[in-house]
Structures are given as C-alpha cells and as structure tokens.
C-alpha cells in the first residue's frame, strides 16, 4: 500500500520539503520509512504529489516532490450533513465512514433529546480521525468538521444557504427512493439523536424547506442513518 502523508498548503511550492510533527514521527517510527522509499503527499485542499524520501532524521523527513496534481476524489454533489454525534467509538467510526463516503461538511448538532453535547476536545479528536481516514482512503480534501451548534440556530441559518435539496431523516414519512437526488450540486441533510426529533424540531425544519424522508422499515442508529444518507446523495467520483 502506498504511504500517504499530510502537508500544509504553504509547502506545496517547494521542490523538496520537510515532513515534521506527528506525520514524520508516524512515518519514521511506525512505518519505518527509509531513504529512497516512495510516498504520496496531500494538502487537504484536493492536491497530491508523489514523492521520494531523500533524508531521514529523528523527527523529520526531507522529501523530493515529483509534481502536484489536483485530484480531490470527491463526489460532484457537495454534501453538508448536520447530525447528532454518537458516543465513544461509534462517533469515531461514523466520522471515518462519512469521510470515506465523501461528505464535504459535518456539523455536530445539539437537539432537545441530545444527552451530552460533544466537547471541543472531542471534536478535535474526530478531526484527527477524519484526517487519518483521508490518508487511508485516498481522499485529498479535508472533511470540514465544525464546532457543535444548537439545532434551532443552525436550521434557521440555512435559510440563506443555496442548496438544491434539503432533507431530514424522520421515520414514517416519504421514501428514500423518492426523496434523495444524486444530481443536486449541493445537498443539506439532517440526522437527529437516538431519542428522535421533537415535533417542534421537525416542524421547524419543514418551515425552512427541509423535506422529511423515511429511510426504511427499521430504526437505525445515528451512524447507520448518516451513512445511508451519504450513500444516497453521493454521485460517481469524477
């Protein structure tokens, strides 16, 4: 498997660059890279570059870049997903899957039935999880993982956002097949907490042009519902 490492945008113009910090430590101590080894660099903005290791030090690598190319590997449909964050490893696994599936922006939402809102430190850990998922799956564009927001405020703020479709998962409404479009340029979607949406929250979404969709005859966990919507909205990677 090709080794992939993240570098910040300002380094892209240098023919040879230094890989430092956690990325370098992982490459040196875990992956045991050596001089002459091939690897791939990406910047989180859609660009990647094949490279070769020129020098290995204790905590940094010097790498020869062989030409940057724009290769985001994202669906042409921009997917913005507001979702309750499940606890523990379930939240980690959800972020991994949604990163792989091409969600563009993930907004942790706090609902009436949310038990414990995620802390900023938890969100920062999930950002690192997403970056690792990008490395593994070949995605070159970062998942934008926002700070937690209250549901009402976020829904109301979407009134000014241009979107081709707006959907909110809610059992007993319309079918997924009839509701999800893969030809939209931008889609806004919402998945509520395990306790479900309150009647007031559902009505607020409808007032802001979100269409309720039914994901099928069974009740899914948050991370499963999020993945179903992401798959339903994503189109072929170009």
């Amino acid at each position: 498997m090709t080794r992939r490492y993240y570098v910040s945008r300002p380094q892209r113009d240098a023919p040879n660059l230094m890989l430092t910090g956690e990325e370098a430590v992982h490459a040196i101590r875990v992956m045991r890279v050596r001089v002459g080894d091939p690897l791939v660099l990406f910047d989180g903005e859609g660009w990647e570059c094949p490279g070769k290791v020129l020098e290995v030090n204790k905590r940094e690598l010097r790498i020869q870049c062989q030409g940057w190319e724009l290769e985001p590997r994202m669906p042409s449909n921009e997917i913005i997903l507001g979702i309750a964050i499940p606890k523990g490893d379930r939240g980690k696994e959800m972020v991994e899957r949604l990163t792989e599936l091409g969600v563009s922006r993930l907004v942790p939402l706090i609902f009436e039935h949310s038990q414990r809102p995620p802390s900023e430190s938890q969100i920062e850990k999930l950002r690192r999880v997403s970056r690792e998922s990008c490395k593994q799956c070949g995605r070159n564009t970062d998942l934008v993982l926002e700070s937690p927001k209250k549901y009402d405020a976020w829904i109301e703020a979407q009134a000014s956002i241009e979107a081709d479709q707006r959907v909110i998962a809610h059992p007993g409404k319309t079918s997924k097949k009839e509701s999800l479009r893969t030809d939209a340029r931008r889609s806004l979607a919402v998945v509520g907490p395990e306790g479900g949406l309150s009647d007031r929250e559902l009505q607020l979404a409808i007032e802001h042009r979100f269409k309720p969709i039914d994901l099928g005859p069974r009740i899914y966990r948050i991370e499963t519902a999020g993945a179903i919507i992401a798959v339903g909205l994503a189109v072929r990677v170009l």
Side-chain angles (χ1 to χ4, degrees):
M1 179 181 295
T2 302
R3 296 161 175 165
R4 287 170 44 85
Y5 299 97
Y6 170 80
V7 296
S8 61
R9 170 66 180 84
Q11 298 191 67
R12 241 182 39 208
D13 297 330
N16 297 333
L17 57 83
M18 301 302 295
L19 188 67
T20 60
E22 293 181 0
E23 293 289 273
V25 171
H26 182 264
I28 296 165
R29 297 184 181 178
V30 179
M31 303 305 295
R32 304 290 184 182
V33 299
R34 298 290 184 264
V35 172
D37 283 354
L39 45 72
V40 173
L41 305 173
F42 72 103
D43 69 350
E45 297 181 15
W47 295 79
E48 73 173 15
C49 174
K52 182 174 70 173
V53 177
L54 297 178
E55 184 179 350
V56 179
N57 297 315
K58 287 185 177 181
R59 298 184 64 85
E60 63 183 16
L61 299 173
R62 188 162 65 91
I63 299 168
Q64 180 185 51
C65 292
Q66 298 171 357
W68 288 91
E69 294 185 359
L70 183 62
E71 191 67 53
R73 301 195 182 97
M74 292 288 286
S76 56
N77 175 14
E78 180 185 1
I79 302 170
I80 301 172
L81 179 59
I83 193 167
I85 301 294
K87 297 178 182 178
D89 287 343
R90 290 174 54 201
K92 173 179 177 291
E93 292 169 2
M94 182 185 77
V95 168
E96 288 174 342
R97 299 294 87 78
L98 296 179
T99 300
E100 293 172 4
L101 290 169
V103 171
S104 305
R105 183 178 296 270
L106 191 63
V107 187
L109 295 180
I110 303 169
F111 298 83
E112 287 184 22
H113 295 157
S114 294
Q115 295 182 357
R116 181 184 297 176
S119 66
E120 190 58 45
S121 63
Q122 289 174 308
I123 296 302
E124 187 56 39
K125 289 179 182 178
L126 292 177
R127 291 186 181 116
R128 293 196 293 270
V129 166
S130 179
R131 176 67 55 74
E132 290 301 312
S133 184
C134 286
K135 291 167 65 175
Q136 182 275 325
C137 74
R139 173 173 170 165
N140 290 323
T141 304
D142 285 338
L143 169 70
V144 178
L145 180 50
E146 297 189 9
S147 297
K149 293 178 172 56
K150 292 184 177 180
Y151 169 82
D152 288 18
W154 185 79
I155 283 287
E156 291 170 357
Q158 303 320 297
S160 61
I161 302 299
E162 181 180 350
D164 300 294
Q165 69 175 333
R166 303 163 186 261
V167 296
I168 184 165
H170 191 70
K173 298 297 179 181
T174 59
S175 73
K176 176 172 69 70
K177 182 178 180 181
E178 292 174 353
S179 299
L180 297 181
R181 293 171 46 201
T182 60
D183 61 343
R185 293 168 298 176
R186 175 182 290 155
S187 297
L188 299 175
V190 176
V191 173
E194 290 182 344
L197 299 164
S198 69
D199 292 341
R200 186 195 61 79
E201 287 173 329
L202 178 61
Q203 185 59 39
L204 181 65
I206 293 172
E207 290 172 359
H208 287 80
R209 295 178 288 138
F210 281 79
K211 184 177 182 179
I213 60 169
D214 191 331
L215 300 182
R218 296 173 300 281
I219 302 299
Y220 299 112
R221 286 190 167 193
I222 299 167
E223 58 270 33
T224 305
I228 290 172
I229 286 183
V231 170
L233 294 175
V235 296
R236 181 176 61 86
V237 176
L238 299 178

